[in-house]
């Protein structure tokens, strides 16, 4: 009888031990179902300087468990941060290698600025953020100083404006405004298509498929200098374009010098 009791107790203890062992397992260190709340995120990008409004940054995020195994099928977010605030978030799911490629479009900015990208997933944040220098569109004016002899005025040949993204890709069909703001030096006259402009007057041109537009301008000294002398007048101007939600502006000047023999 005593042996039978001990046999029953031994069988019970064995079953309890087996049940405890079966409950100590886990979902594994890698693959689908790996614990993504205790792991490592790394973030890499294909460029750190981007043109606003046209560029897209490719963010590659890798998620591994604490024992360096890839974590599959987990959602990863990439936050875009400006001045400490998350302004946009882009998402994707890791593959069997624990990797996800997330496109991050770069929106228009009013002026050059730096944003930061940071990866997050299930309570994990990448150890460091990546700085992206975002470059605003660029306005360029081709308008060169002119010098003439015994002629009061000059036509500015090859004068024009160009509107392009930071990569140099022209932005077509945009209306650019040229405004004559002031002049200094000798009294002079600035004219557009033969019609004199008063200070504060404006005219518009529209960019072609390359982002370029010609500006037809003439400049003149109002009174010829005395024989053997020269006079100059400088015309100051502003060019501006409204694009998206922002206005881009560039100021400049051009000088006409007249010499009398």
């Amino acid at each position: 009888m005593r042996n039978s009791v001990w046999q029953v107790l031994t069988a019970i203890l064995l079953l309890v031990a087996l049940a405890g062992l079966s409950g100590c397992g886990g979902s594994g260190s890698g693959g689908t179902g790996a614990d993504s709340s205790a792991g490592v995120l790394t973030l890499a990008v294909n460029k750190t300087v981007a043109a606003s409004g046209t560029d897209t940054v490719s963010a590659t995020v890798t998620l591994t468990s604490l024992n360096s195994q890839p974590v599959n099928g987990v959602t990863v977010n990439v936050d875009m941060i400006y001045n400490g605030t998350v302004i946009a978030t882009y998402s994707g799911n890791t593959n069997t290698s624990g990797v996800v490629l997330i496109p991050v479009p770069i929106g228009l900015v009013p002026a050059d600025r730096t944003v930061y990208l940071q990866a997050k997933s299930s309570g994990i944040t990448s150890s460091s953020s990546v700085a992206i220098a975002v470059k605003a569109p660029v306005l360029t004016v081709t308008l060169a100083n002119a010098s003439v002899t015994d002629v009061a005025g000059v036509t500015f040949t090859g004068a024009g404006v160009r509107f392009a993204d930071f990569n140099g890709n022209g932005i077509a069909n945009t209306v650019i405004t040229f405004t004559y703001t002031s002049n200094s030096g000798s009294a002079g006259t600035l004219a557009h298509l033969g019609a004199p402009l008063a200070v504060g007057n404006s005219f518009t041109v529209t960019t072609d498929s390359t982002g370029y537009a010609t500006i037809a301008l003439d400049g003149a000294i109002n009174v010829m200098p005395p024989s053997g002398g020269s006079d100059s007048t400088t015309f100051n101007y502003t060019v501006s374009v409204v694009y998206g939600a922002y206005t881009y502006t560039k100021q400049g000047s051009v000088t006409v010098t007249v010499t009398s023999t």
Side-chain angles (χ1 to χ4, degrees):
M1 178 65 70
R2 181 176 298 176
N3 288 339
S4 297
V5 171
W6 278 112
Q7 288 174 351
V8 171
L9 290 173
T10 299
I12 292 172
L13 290 172
L14 180 60
L15 288 173
V16 170
L18 289 173
L21 286 174
S22 65
C24 291
S27 57
S29 58
T32 301
D35 184 4
S36 63
S37 64
V40 178
L41 273 173
T42 59
L43 171 64
V45 296
N46 67 328
K47 62 181 70 177
T48 55
V49 179
S52 77
T54 55
D55 260 345
T56 296
V57 173
S58 295
T60 301
V61 185
T62 303
L63 176 59
T64 56
S65 62
L66 290 178
N67 59 349
S68 301
Q69 296 300 307
V71 180
N72 177 33
V74 172
T75 298
V76 172
N77 296 323
V78 171
D79 289 338
M80 180 181 289
I81 302 167
Y82 177 64
N83 276 351
T85 300
V86 176
I87 58 175
T89 299
Y90 305 93
S91 303
N93 294 326
T94 58
N95 60 18
T96 54
S97 299
V99 177
V100 56
L101 178 64
I102 300 176
V104 179
I106 303 299
L108 275 176
V109 294
D112 293 354
R113 62 176 46 168
T114 298
V115 300
Y116 295 87
L117 301 184
Q118 191 156 43
K120 294 182 178 180
S121 178
S122 300
I124 310 169
T125 301
S126 55
S127 58
S128 61
S129 57
V130 177
I132 307 294
V134 180
K135 299 294 186 177
V138 179
L139 263 174
T140 304
V141 182
T142 306
L143 186 57
N145 296 337
S147 297
V148 293
T149 300
D150 290 332
V151 179
V154 63
T155 296
F156 297 104
T157 59
V161 291
R162 189 166 188 266
F163 186 52
D165 70 12
F166 182 75
N167 294 326
N169 301 307
I171 301 174
N173 300 317
T174 53
V175 176
I176 297 178
T177 301
F178 181 102
T179 303
Y180 172 30
T181 56
S182 65
N183 86 302
S184 57
S186 299
T189 300
L190 185 66
H192 170 58
L193 295 175
L197 296 170
V199 170
N201 283 173
S202 300
F203 62 88
T204 61
V205 291
T206 302
T207 59
D208 61 17
S209 60
T210 68
Y212 180 81
T214 299
I215 49 177
L217 288 171
D218 302 315
I221 296 286
N222 289 353
V223 178
M224 281 285 290
S227 179
S230 65
D231 283 327
S232 296
T233 183
T234 297
F235 302 101
N236 303 302
Y237 62 83
T238 298
V239 291
S240 62
V241 56
V242 177
Y243 184 64
Y246 305 113
T247 299
Y248 301 95
T249 301
K250 181 179 181 64
Q251 295 178 328
S253 62
V254 63
T255 299
V256 174
T257 301
V258 173
T259 300
S260 178
T261 60

